[in-house]
């Protein structure tokens, strides 16, 4: 943690106090921190102490641009502007204060030529006294422009949270049900070439992975390890998904060891129409020239929608539950 970041956090905490966050607060001047320093400030050790998370959330909201900012969450969809983001982010996070977000990899900041883009990967962990229960893995991508965060996007699988609890499960029966999966309309990046599954050389893609020290994380299929297994899985699955395309929602960013790409998966219908299936973010990490880590983050909840399943069948998908079970049990 740099001295300047420590000083900023100390000054910030002194200024806002540690009481209830002010939901009516509007910050109109940027913090003066760059992308790396904002990322560092949000991860400051001071905020890890019990009861201090609301101050971190207040800071996060303060970093969002007053008007031209978006925060997307896989459960709640998109909030636009600092005020709306603050009035969603702080109350909602207060209801899940028993969940920790544990980093699964070191965060990084990409030089995107416009102010920076950061990447965080994490896993939700529910904490009940001495018990810790792993939940969904997730990824956060933030874009920084002119001293503000203008884009924050948290992608994770909400499908497991939507499964009704077992009759004998000890859960809060009065908990509010989750909203339906968000129908956010995304606008693809026309400056980036689209990738169609039919155009992907699966063999060449698999060759990029390390022979033994590689792992591929997928919300549906689980973990696939090693080049041969990854090749077999990719070849099998990509041959059964039908006519789908992955439309980029931003540029592919690469710092030499890590790449990140945001996208939406679309099912191409017989008449050429494209039907939204799911929104995702892919991360790849390299060691000595080989991909040793790959993770595709997306929400399976939308894939369970009957209309989307019908669109997938119309696009030629032949993937079955048995295909999924075979890989998840291996």
């Amino acid at each position: 943690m740099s001295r300047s970041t420590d000083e900023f956090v100390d000054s910030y905490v002194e200024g806002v106090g540690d009481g209830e966050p002010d939901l009516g607060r509007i910050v109109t001047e940027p913090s003066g921190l760059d992308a790396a320093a904002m990322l560092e400030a949000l991860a400051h050790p001071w905020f890890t102490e019990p009861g201090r998370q609301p101050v971190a959330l207040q800071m996060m909201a303060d970093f969002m641009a007053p008007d031209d900012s978006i925060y997307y969450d896989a459960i709640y969809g998109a909030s636009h502007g600092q005020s709306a983001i603050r009035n969603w982010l702080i109350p909602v996070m207060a209801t899940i204060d028993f969940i920790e977000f544990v980093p699964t990899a070191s965060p990084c900041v990409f030089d995107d030529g416009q102010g920076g883009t950061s990447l965080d990967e994490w896993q939700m962990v529910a904490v009940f006294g001495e018990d810790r229960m792993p939940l969904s893995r997730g990824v956060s991508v933030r874009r920084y422009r002119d001293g503000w965060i203008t884009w924050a996007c948290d992608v994770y699988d909400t499908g497991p949270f939507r499964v009704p609890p077992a009759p004998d499960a000890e859960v809060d029966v009065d908990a509010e049900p989750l909203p339906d999966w968000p129908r956010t309309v995304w606008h693809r990046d026309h400056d980036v070439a689209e990738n169609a599954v039919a155009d992907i050389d699966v063999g060449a893609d698999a060759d990029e992975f390390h022979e033994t020290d590689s792992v591929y994380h997928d919300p549906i299929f689980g973990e696939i390890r090693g080049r041969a297994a990854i090749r077999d899985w990719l070849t099998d699955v990509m041959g059964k998904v039908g006519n789908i395309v992955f439309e980029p929602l931003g540029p592919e960013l690469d710092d030499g060891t890590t790449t990140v790409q945001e996208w939406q998966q679309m099912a191409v219908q017989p008449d050429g129409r494209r039907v939204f299936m799911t929104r995702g973010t892919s991360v790849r990490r390299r060691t000595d020239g080989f991909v040793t880590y790959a993770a595709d983050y997306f929400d399976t909840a939308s894939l369970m929608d009957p209309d989307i399943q019908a669109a997938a069948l119309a696009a030629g998908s032949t993937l079955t539950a048995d295909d999924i079970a075979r890989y998840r049990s291996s």
Side-chain angles (χ1 to χ4, degrees):
M1 197 66 61
S2 68
R3 176 182 176 85
S4 59
T5 304
D6 279 332
E7 291 172 346
F8 175 86
V9 171
D10 289 343
S11 175
Y12 183 87
V13 171
E14 182 179 354
V16 302
D18 57 2
E20 286 295 317
D22 177 8
L23 297 183
R25 176 183 173 93
I26 295 291
V27 176
T28 58
E29 293 295 328
S31 64
L33 302 180
D34 62 13
M38 276 189 266
L39 189 65
E40 192 174 54
L42 290 168
H44 195 278
W46 189 88
F47 298 121
T48 63
E49 294 297 322
R52 292 176 174 177
Q53 186 191 45
V55 184
L57 296 174
Q58 186 81 289
M59 177 186 287
M60 176 67 184
D62 286 355
F63 286 163
M64 303 299 299
D67 300 308
D68 299 326
S69 58
I70 296 175
Y71 197 126
Y72 175 82
D73 177 84
I75 290 177
Y76 296 95
S79 298
H80 298 260
Q82 186 188 114
S83 179
I85 291 168
R86 187 186 312 278
N87 281 270
W88 160 74
L89 180 65
I90 294 175
V92 165
M93 292 301 291
T95 67
I96 57 170
D97 58 0
F98 61 92
I99 292 181
E100 293 182 359
F101 295 83
V102 180
T104 57
S106 297
C108 56
V109 177
F110 299 88
D111 180 2
D112 58 17
Q114 300 182 68
T117 296
S118 66
L119 168 70
D120 283 285
E121 294 178 273
W122 36 267
Q123 180 162 33
M124 297 182 189
V125 177
V127 181
F128 304 102
E130 297 297 318
D131 297 326
R132 299 175 65 84
M133 180 173 67
L135 303 174
S136 293
R137 292 166 54 90
V139 61
S140 298
V141 174
R142 302 185 184 108
R143 299 176 191 168
Y144 305 77
R145 303 290 184 265
D146 300 320
W148 299 101
I149 299 175
T150 58
W151 170 272
C153 187
D154 296 342
V155 175
Y156 52 96
D157 185 12
T158 75
F161 305 140
R162 300 175 186 276
V163 177
D168 58 347
E170 296 182 5
V171 297
D172 182 0
V173 295
D174 295 325
E176 288 291 327
L178 293 181
D180 198 8
W181 64 271
R183 267 68 172 176
T184 304
V185 177
W186 300 102
H187 300 284
R188 67 180 186 239
D189 190 334
H190 291 280
D191 296 328
V192 183
E194 295 172 3
N195 293 319
V197 167
D199 296 330
I200 295 176
D201 186 335
V202 173
D205 194 27
D207 287 342
E208 297 288 314
F209 285 83
H210 191 277
E211 182 177 5
T212 55
D213 299 331
S214 55
V215 59
Y216 202 127
H217 295 274
D218 182 275
I220 295 176
F221 295 93
E223 289 187 3
I224 312 295
R225 292 185 173 273
R227 181 193 300 157
I230 292 171
R231 184 195 310 278
D232 290 345
W233 168 66
L234 285 173
T235 302
D236 184 24
V237 171
M238 291 299 101
K240 295 176 178 177
V241 295
N243 188 6
I244 64 174
V245 294
F246 296 91
E247 296 178 348
L249 298 177
E252 181 181 70
L253 299 173
D254 188 345
D255 68 358
T257 60
T258 304
T259 61
V260 61
Q261 175 71 72
E262 298 178 276
W263 45 266
Q264 62 180 354
Q265 181 179 331
M266 310 292 285
V268 182
Q269 304 300 281
D271 62 2
R273 290 183 303 111
R274 295 183 177 187
V275 177
F276 175 86
M277 299 182 72
T278 191
R279 187 253 185 271
T281 300
S282 293
V283 179
R284 303 288 183 270
R285 298 181 187 269
R286 291 178 174 271
T287 304
D288 297 329
F290 289 103
V291 175
T292 53
Y293 172 93
D296 293 338
Y297 297 94
F298 56 89
D299 189 7
T300 63
S302 59
L303 300 178
M304 297 297 103
D305 187 293
D307 290 338
I308 292 180
Q309 290 186 340
L313 290 173
S317 173
T318 61
L319 200 62
T320 67
D322 288 341
D323 293 320
I324 297 171
R326 181 168 66 255
Y327 290 101
R328 288 200 69 92
S329 62
S330 62

